[in-house]
Amino acid sequence: MLRRPFFWIIALVVAAFVVLPPIGNNVELRESLALAAVYITLASNLNLMLGYAGYINFGSIVFFGLGGYICVWLVDAHGWPLALSLAAAGIGVSGLSLIFGFGILRLRGPFFALSTIGIVEGVQAFVENFKPWGGSSGIYISPEVFQPLGGPGPALWVIYFLFVTVMAASLYLSYGIKISKFGLGLLAIGQNEDAAAILGVPTPRYKALCYSASAFLPAIAGGLYFFKGAFVQPTDAFDLTLSTEAIVICMLGGQGTVTGVALGAYLYEELRGYLLTSSTFSNFQLVIAGALLLMIVSFFPSGLMGFIYSRFPRMQKILE
């Protein structure tokens, strides 16, 4: 993988995320790129199921929300250090998703998609009634937890660089899986699952492993996100809107591609930021996102990268 040019393209993008915000202590750019890193992480991991295996997962927000709850709870109630709490969140959520994956991935198509929505609602209902996690009020942590990171101000920079690290890991994970034997098996499942099984692909195991892999880094990103905000609530942690936005991003950039999903996430975050701060369009964010998805499906089903590949075929050898 090190000999492929795309490996170094990812490295250059990550380097830009690391270098640019500290120049002039640009806090506004830092916060914008932090959100972009979160969207890239969520969309890149969703792409493992959606773009590779062909399974539409509306429940990807569960990984993000549960990771946030586990991390914040361990930090607040048990005094765990941030790094250990994040690792526990990632491993715990990934393990749970592996167990559930063997069950729900027996479903296909719209039945699987609907079941993932049901999982979101079920997990949110459970958390809202789970007293150790604060029930419907959630968990609030005191500013004192930021002292090991140098205080609230320096902690924001530490968390930002951790966001970038998780984003980089997501991009390399997506790329590594795509060019591996495991990735070829997932792509075969996405094309025709029955034919893949006949050809010897262990489809139940591959799908469950993919589902579990797609949960690990979003759980860590969720832990960072809610630790940064110093609180987590069920309505924020399990907001289906974020899952829908991740699907829009994959479709926008080009599902099944690493570059397209990352580029789509960055462009969508910039568009979202503009809409939220616009006095004219602030109330129509989701309407515009839905219209954008409809246009993509109707006129550009291969997304932005499909358009680029059709105009510049040689780019397929450079941009994965």
Side-chain angles (χ1 to χ4, degrees):
M1 191 166 69
L2 290 173
R3 296 180 179 180
R4 295 172 179 255
F6 190 66
F7 178 92
W8 300 107
I9 291 174
I10 295 177
L12 287 174
V13 172
V14 173
F17 271 71
V18 171
V19 172
L20 292 178
I23 298 176
N25 196 32
N26 195 331
V27 174
E28 182 179 352
L29 180 60
R30 182 195 69 195
E31 294 305 305
S32 175
L33 291 181
L35 279 175
V38 171
Y39 274 103
I40 290 172
T41 298
L42 294 178
S44 295
N45 285 276
L46 173 65
N47 191 46
L48 301 180
M49 287 299 298
L50 176 62
Y52 296 173
Y55 276 71
I56 301 175
N57 181 14
F58 282 100
S60 59
I61 189 62
V62 167
F63 310 145
F64 187 75
L66 280 178
Y69 260 100
I70 292 173
C71 176
V72 171
W73 177 63
L74 290 175
V75 169
D76 177 67
H78 299 281
W80 283 30
L82 177 61
L84 193 58
S85 300
L86 290 173
I91 294 171
V93 174
S94 184
L96 285 173
S97 65
L98 179 64
I99 296 171
F100 280 100
F102 278 108
I104 66 169
L105 285 166
R106 296 177 181 272
L107 303 173
R108 299 188 189 181
F111 301 103
F112 173 79
L114 289 173
S115 72
T116 60
I117 296 176
I119 288 175
V120 175
E121 297 298 330
V123 171
Q124 181 173 343
F126 168 78
V127 171
E128 286 177 342
N129 292 279
F130 190 55
K131 298 304 179 183
W133 284 0
S136 59
S137 299
I139 305 173
Y140 291 79
I141 55 181
S142 67
E144 296 175 358
V145 300
F146 297 110
Q147 292 305 319
L149 302 178
L156 292 176
W157 282 103
V158 173
I159 293 170
Y160 170 73
F161 291 125
L162 289 174
F163 272 135
V164 175
T165 302
V166 174
M167 178 196 74
S170 297
L171 292 174
Y172 280 121
L173 175 67
S174 181
Y175 179 45
I177 288 178
K178 184 177 183 180
I179 62 176
S180 68
K181 178 182 177 181
F182 176 56
L184 290 176
L186 293 177
L187 292 171
I189 291 171
Q191 292 293 322
N192 189 319
E193 186 170 342
D194 293 327
I198 292 173
L199 291 173
V201 177
T203 56
R205 179 159 57 90
Y206 270 34
K207 290 188 297 182
L209 288 174
C210 180
Y211 192 65
S212 179
S214 70
F216 181 72
L217 292 169
I220 294 177
L224 284 170
Y225 183 84
F226 290 107
F227 176 81
K228 177 186 176 184
F231 77 96
V232 56
Q233 293 177 321
T235 52
D236 295 328
F238 305 105
D239 185 359
L240 268 173
T241 301
L242 197 55
S243 286
T244 305
E245 288 178 329
I247 293 174
V248 171
I249 287 169
C250 288
M251 300 295 290
L252 172 63
Q255 56 181 330
T257 68
V258 182
T259 304
V261 171
L263 185 59
Y266 179 77
L267 294 175
Y268 183 84
E269 193 281 324
E270 290 295 319
L271 174 63
R272 178 178 175 273
Y274 169 75
L275 294 175
L276 288 175
T277 56
S278 170
S279 59
T280 306
F281 300 107
S282 59
N283 295 323
F284 299 97
Q285 176 202 346
L286 294 180
V287 175
I288 294 175
L292 182 63
L293 179 59
L294 181 61
M295 290 176 60
I296 293 167
V297 172
S298 301
F299 302 106
F300 305 100
S302 298
L304 181 60
M305 292 311 297
F307 176 79
I308 292 175
Y309 290 157
S310 65
R311 294 294 185 275
F312 309 99
R314 292 184 179 180
M315 297 302 291
Q316 287 185 278
K317 297 181 179 180
I318 301 174
L319 300 177
E320 294 288 342

